[in-house]
Amino acid sequence: MTHSPTDLTVYYDGSCPICGWEIDLYGRMRGAERIHWLDLTTADEAALGPGLTHESAAGKFHVRDAAGRLVSGGAAFVEIWERLPRLRWAAKLGKTALGRWVLERAYRVFLRILPVLRRWMGEREVRQPDNP
């Protein structure tokens, strides 16, 4: 597969129900075909590229642009939003000084509550009658 210069690689945790839901949402949007979605649960270390390990990728959200620049945290979401026409407005806001500040703080809070959300969502999935 050849990639255009506009491509972005998104590293996500496919075992996380919240992450999977969000990636699925993005993946259905126009522009998502320009993005390479890499599930950390199935990727080997070599697929992550330079400067990224499974441990660091699992601890914080990362993307890599076509030039090889690694971006993490709130700024990584801006990189995705820029490539999805429906969310370009959010990317524009996220690139402002105030937007960057808000995104980073919100992302830090999210990282703190993520383990609780994962447990809660996992329990909900188990309790559903259609789930084996």
Side-chain angles (χ1 to χ4, degrees), residues 51-104:
L52 189 61
T53 64
H54 273 95
E55 186 178 347
S56 62
K60 191 172 186 182
F61 186 59
H62 290 79
V63 302
R64 187 182 306 276
D65 67 16
R69 183 177 64 109
L70 201 56
V71 180
S72 65
F77 290 96
V78 172
E79 292 291 325
I80 294 172
W81 300 340
E82 276 190 311
R83 287 155 177 86
L84 303 172
R86 272 172 81 184
L87 297 176
R88 283 200 184 120
W89 64 269
K92 287 179 184 178
L93 288 175
K95 285 185 160 196
T96 66
L98 178 60
R100 283 190 306 270
W101 185 87
V102 169
L103 274 174
E104 284 305 319

Side-chain angles (χ1 to χ4, degrees), residues 3 6-12 34-39 47-49 52 61-66 69-71 76 79-80 83:
H3 297 288
T6 59
D7 283 346
L8 182 74
T9 299
V10 175
Y11 305 95
Y12 71 97
R34 297 170 50 197
I35 300 172
H36 176 66
W37 309 96
L38 187 65
D39 184 347
L48 302 181
L52 189 61
F61 186 59
H62 290 79
V63 302
R64 187 182 306 276
D65 67 16
R69 183 177 64 109
L70 201 56
V71 180
E79 292 291 325
I80 294 172
R83 287 155 177 86

